[in-house]
Amino acid sequence: MLHNIKPHEYHCDFLPRPPVQKKDHLLLFEGEHILTKRKHDRLTLPIFCDLLYAKHWSKEARYLFSVDDTAYYDVPVSQLSQEYGKKEGERESMQYIPVSSLRTFEPAYLAFAAITGYHLHFWYTHNHFCGACGREFTHAKNERALLCPHCGYLKYPDISLAVIVGVSDGDKLLLTRYANRPYKRLALIAGFVEIGEALEDTVLREVMEEVGLNVKNIHYYDSQPWGFSNSLLAGFFAEVDGSTNITLDNRELAEAIWVKREEIPDDANLISLTSKMMAAFKLNKNR
């Protein structure tokens, strides 16, 4: 899956240090796009010295995390745009690509770093002011948190919890297709956990809401951080309980079908928890 980057090691500790200009990666986002650099006929992430004016605003760069001994930083585009012009650095070797295309970015550890960086960038850009008193946040010195200097409120990164559910009926798995979303491939039942819900209760509710089915024998399978939606995904398998007749929620899904084990489509990348679960069921390894 996307976060399995061995032999590389992800270090999420908040241990900020000044960037090394010729080594550390710079993550520049504009909306849902990220700046990349073309090197030897492939795209990679730029380092500080790739951009002409990086040394002037490297002090503004936010330390995010490290992979091995390489650090990754986020620079507010507003800072870059105001001082040096919009999309500075987008020269012949530079190009912005959609964040969604990072699903197939290589090598995998850079894709994971960019997506995790996007998660943190989204949090920073949507949390400038204290929700308790309205004063402007500063960054806490010793941890990854935003601090209100007026009332002392601490704001930690937002992580939304969601479930992925593989519903089975013997040797058949329920596959779905989202409605009104760019992702058009077959997937599994999914949904966010509501306040006051246990994970298993979310499984029961989401399956009933989206396809009108009851399930039993719910068991946990695996989890995955998913920075595209600022989420942590928890995967479960469950067996249909009673009728297998589907009542489709057309607001959420365009399609829901029972697919025999051997007919489940292959996904060579297996970067997502959904694709891993579908492959596990196909190979009868979902326990």
Side-chain angles (χ1 to χ4, degrees), residues 15 35 38 45 47 50 88 98 100 109 113-114 127 131 136 156 165 176 190 210 247 256 261 269:
L15 299 171
L35 185 68
R38 182 163 295 280
L45 299 178
I47 58 177
D50 287 331
E88 199 289 322
S100 59
Y109 76 93
N127 290 278
E136 189 170 359
Y156 293 96
V165 191
T176 66
E210 295 193 4
T247 303
R261 195 186 303 274
N269 293 320

Side-chain angles (χ1 to χ4, degrees), residues 33-250:
H33 288 74
I34 182 173
L35 185 68
T36 60
K37 177 186 178 182
R38 182 163 295 280
K39 183 178 181 180
H40 304 311
D41 296 325
R42 67 184 304 175
L43 294 179
T44 187
L45 299 178
I47 58 177
F48 273 79
C49 64
D50 287 331
L51 297 180
L52 182 61
Y53 296 105
K55 64 181 180 181
H56 296 291
W57 40 259
S58 60
K59 291 182 180 179
E60 304 297 326
R62 303 185 186 106
Y63 173 86
L64 299 178
F65 49 79
S66 295
V67 176
D68 299 328
D69 61 349
T70 299
Y72 292 76
Y73 293 81
D74 171 52
V75 174
V77 170
S78 59
Q79 172 79 17
L80 186 65
S81 299
Q82 289 170 11
E83 295 189 18
Y84 305 109
K86 189 175 182 180
K87 292 189 177 180
E88 199 289 322
E90 190 170 32
R91 301 187 294 272
E92 183 178 349
S93 63
M94 301 286 185
Q95 70 179 89
Y96 278 83
I97 64 171
V99 170
S100 59
S101 66
L102 292 171
R103 294 172 66 100
T104 55
F105 198 79
E106 293 290 344
Y109 76 93
L110 283 184
F112 168 73
I115 293 165
T116 304
Y118 176 71
H119 186 165
L120 285 170
H121 171 81
F122 186 91
W123 174 66
Y124 277 120
T125 55
H126 287 78
N127 290 278
H128 292 294
F129 301 98
C130 175
C133 71
R135 303 294 180 90
E136 189 170 359
F137 275 131
T138 61
H139 204 291
K141 293 182 179 180
N142 300 317
E143 59 181 336
R144 186 177 288 106
L146 298 172
L147 170 66
C148 177
H150 179 71
C151 71
Y153 175 68
L154 276 173
K155 172 71 174 176
Y156 293 96
D158 298 316
I159 305 174
S160 299
L161 190 57
V163 299
I164 305 290
V165 191
V167 180
S168 65
D169 175 27
D171 68 344
K172 292 181 288 187
L173 185 67
L174 183 63
L175 300 185
T176 66
R177 208 181 303 273
Y178 295 123
N180 305 315
R181 293 195 196 179
Y183 188 81
K184 299 301 181 183
R185 301 183 66 176
L186 288 169
L188 301 175
I189 297 289
F192 288 101
V193 179
E194 297 289 350
I195 296 296
E197 278 189 326
L199 296 176
E200 291 81 1
D201 291 334
T202 306
V203 169
L204 292 168
R205 176 180 56 79
E206 285 292 342
V207 175
M208 175 54 68
E209 286 181 355
E210 295 193 4
V211 291
L213 298 175
N214 292 305
V215 293
K216 61 183 179 181
N217 298 332
I218 300 168
H219 66 274
Y220 171 78
Y221 177 72
D222 203 353
S223 66
Q224 179 179 35
W226 196 244
F228 293 111
S229 57
N230 310 320
S231 305
L232 176 64
L233 309 179
F236 293 85
F237 280 100
E239 298 172 9
V240 67
D241 184 13
S243 173
T244 60
N245 294 327
I246 296 168
T247 303
L248 194 68
D249 180 356
N250 295 295

Side-chain angles (χ1 to χ4, degrees), residues 256-277:
I257 54 175
W258 292 104
V259 179
K260 291 184 178 179
R261 195 186 303 274
E262 64 273 14
E263 296 175 358
I264 294 174
D266 292 319
D267 185 342
N269 293 320
L270 294 181
I271 70 161
S272 69
L273 178 58
T274 295
S275 61
K276 181 183 178 182
M277 291 175 65

